[in-house]
């Protein structure tokens, strides 16, 4: 299982494909598997990466509640990019992951390409 060492913890990730990196950040109630259809599709053209945030096994689950915050999620995204030697990436997030992605735009200006947003389908 691939893990990236980020600030004293290990984040689990999966990747497929080659090309410009496209990182998927999951929502609160999901994990890296939430992005499988997108990773499969986009890996035809991109280096598609989905990871589990801290607290979502098989990533590490710190016991200290202070180890969790939206700012920490942004730093984990930055750390993942660094660990994978990625200087610039497309980042797509949903819900909690969307907030981390949005916030990372200003916190990691050199790392994010144009915005990607995943919008849930609505009932017709």
């Amino acid at each position: 299982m691939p893990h990236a060492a980020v600030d004293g913890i290990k984040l689990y990730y999966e990747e497929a494909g080659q090309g410009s990196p496209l990182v998927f950040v999951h929502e609160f109630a999901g994990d890296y598997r939430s992005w499988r259809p997108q990773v499969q599709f986009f890996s035809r053209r991109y280096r598609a990466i989905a990871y589990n945030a801290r607290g979502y096994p098989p990533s590490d689950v710190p016991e200290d509640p202070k180890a969790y915050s939206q700012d920490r999620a942004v730093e984990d995204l930055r750390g993942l990019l660094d660990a994978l030697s990625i200087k610039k990436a497309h980042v797509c997030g949903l819900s909690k992951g969307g907030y981390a992605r949005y916030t990372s735009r200003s916190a990691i200006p050199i790392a994010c390409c144009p915005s990607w947003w995943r919008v849930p389908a609505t009932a017709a």
Side-chain angles (χ1 to χ4, degrees):
M1 292 182 142
H3 285 83
V6 176
D7 195 28
I9 65 160
K10 293 182 290 183
L11 297 178
Y12 176 78
Y13 68 94
E14 290 188 357
E15 65 179 303
Q18 297 178 347
S20 298
L22 170 54
V23 181
F24 294 97
V25 188
H26 67 81
E27 72 278 18
F28 178 78
D31 64 12
Y32 73 96
R33 295 171 294 188
S34 303
W35 296 106
R36 278 198 174 141
Q38 290 80 8
V39 168
Q40 182 179 3
F41 179 83
F42 285 103
S43 67
R44 298 178 212 172
R45 186 172 176 181
Y46 295 90
R47 177 184 176 191
I49 302 161
Y51 72 99
N52 266 12
R54 65 176 57 219
Y56 293 80
S59 289
D60 286 349
V61 182
E63 291 185 23
D64 184 359
K66 293 178 184 174
Y68 301 91
S69 69
Q70 285 297 101
D71 291 338
R72 183 70 259 164
V74 172
E75 289 304 314
D76 285 349
L77 174 56
R78 179 199 312 258
L80 178 73
L81 294 173
D82 289 346
L84 299 178
S85 300
I86 296 173
K87 296 192 186 309
K88 191 173 184 180
H90 298 281
V91 179
C92 178
L94 173 65
S95 187
K96 174 182 78 76
Y99 183 82
R101 182 259 161 277
Y102 176 77
T103 306
S104 70
R105 178 86 181 185
S106 59
I108 318 171
I110 60 165
C112 293
C113 292
S115 298
W116 287 63
W117 296 97
R118 178 178 176 204
V119 179
T122 57

